[in-house]
Amino acid sequence: MGIDVTSTRILIVDDYKTMLRIIGNLLRQLGFQHIDEVTDGLSALEKIRSIKYDLIISDWNMEPMTGLELLKSIRSDELTRSLPFIMITAESKTENVMAARDAGVSNYIVKPFNAITLKNKLSSVFGDF
Amino acid sequence: MTFIKSIQELQKLIKNDQHKKTLFFSESFLKELVQLCHYTQKTKQKIQKIKLKNAKELPRIHNELIAIKSATVEATEKILIASEKIETLAKKLPKEQAQELYRYITAIYEACVFQDLTDQRLTTIGRVVKNLDKMIIQLAEFLQIDSLPSSLSDLGLCEDNTPFLRGPALPSEAPKQDDIDQIFKSKALL
């Protein structure tokens, strides 16, 4: 059996508050309890420096820092290099997916998505739960 | 001196030329040149018309896009609040019934992702429209169109009549139901 969802810490990053709410609600339905939300990459980096997260879930199209830039920043820091990172985005072209993969994304979800897809991608990171 | 007047002066000069062959080719060439001139003038007028129309319509397009964005955010917010309340109440139900409700609530959450995508599409539309307008303005500048008449009526062109059916009013312009009721009542008294 995989992780203990009740103690797993997840940070969601999206500039649309609606999306933060939807993803947060879906995660809570799966039993996750420690969920933080921020609306931009810079705030995410600040939080990541002070709190040990088990997973980052991020949008791509954000300003001033895109989700890809956030990912690269996380991967370039030795302390956060292996922090699991799932991109949830409307960007669906092959080159986008490849760019995220090359930058070290753990998994990639395209919007619109469903709860089963989210659970599967989380399982790919944490193991079955 | 305008370009057309210059051509006309040149025509006069060539007519006085004694060499008939030169006269023939020159006259044909000048005819084509005058036609080209008229065509260019008409094109400039059309571009000016588009430019004027855009200047009038673009702010409205921008406001309509903002209105759509606001409306979808508001509606989605209400849907989520209601769904979350139902989810809380579902916890009080027997497990099987609760599970069934959770399935439907999950479907609602999934559907609400539409708001994010709609917003992004609207942003794209706004950007495209803005770029199109920019290109028209650049074309007008390139063709030095600002020297032309600045209103549609000066161009002898009709403005589009505002259609009878205009669709929803912008939130800032939309009358409330009370206002409509007042109008309705006032007509009834006539």
Side-chain angles (χ1 to χ4, degrees), chain A residues 14 16 18-19 21-22 25-26 28-29 59 61 90-91 111-116, chain B residues 73 76-77 80-81 84 87 102 105-106 109-110 112-113 115-117 119-120 123:
Chain A
D14 200 308
Y16 281 109
T18 306
M19 281 312 303
R21 199 164 178 168
I22 292 169
N25 287 349
L26 291 172
R28 274 180 280 274
Q29 283 189 337
D59 183 22
N61 275 322
E91 301 302 328
K111 292 173 187 171
F113 62 96
N114 59 40
I116 294 172
Chain B
V73 166
T76 311
E77 183 76 14
L80 286 173
I81 289 172
E84 285 158 5
E87 199 170 23
Y102 291 147
I105 290 163
T106 303
Y109 291 153
E110 290 168 357
C112 284
V113 173
Q115 192 268 316
D116 181 339
L117 299 175
D119 212 294
Q120 291 187 52
T123 303

Side-chain angles (χ1 to χ4, degrees), chain A residues 14-43:
Chain A
D14 200 308
D15 55 348
Y16 281 109
K17 289 187 176 163
T18 306
M19 281 312 303
L20 289 175
R21 199 164 178 168
I22 292 169
I23 296 170
N25 287 349
L26 291 172
L27 289 172
R28 274 180 280 274
Q29 283 189 337
L30 292 169
F32 293 96
Q33 291 173 14
H34 299 284
I35 300 163
D36 291 335
E37 302 167 358
V38 290
T39 54
D40 68 273
L42 293 172
S43 306

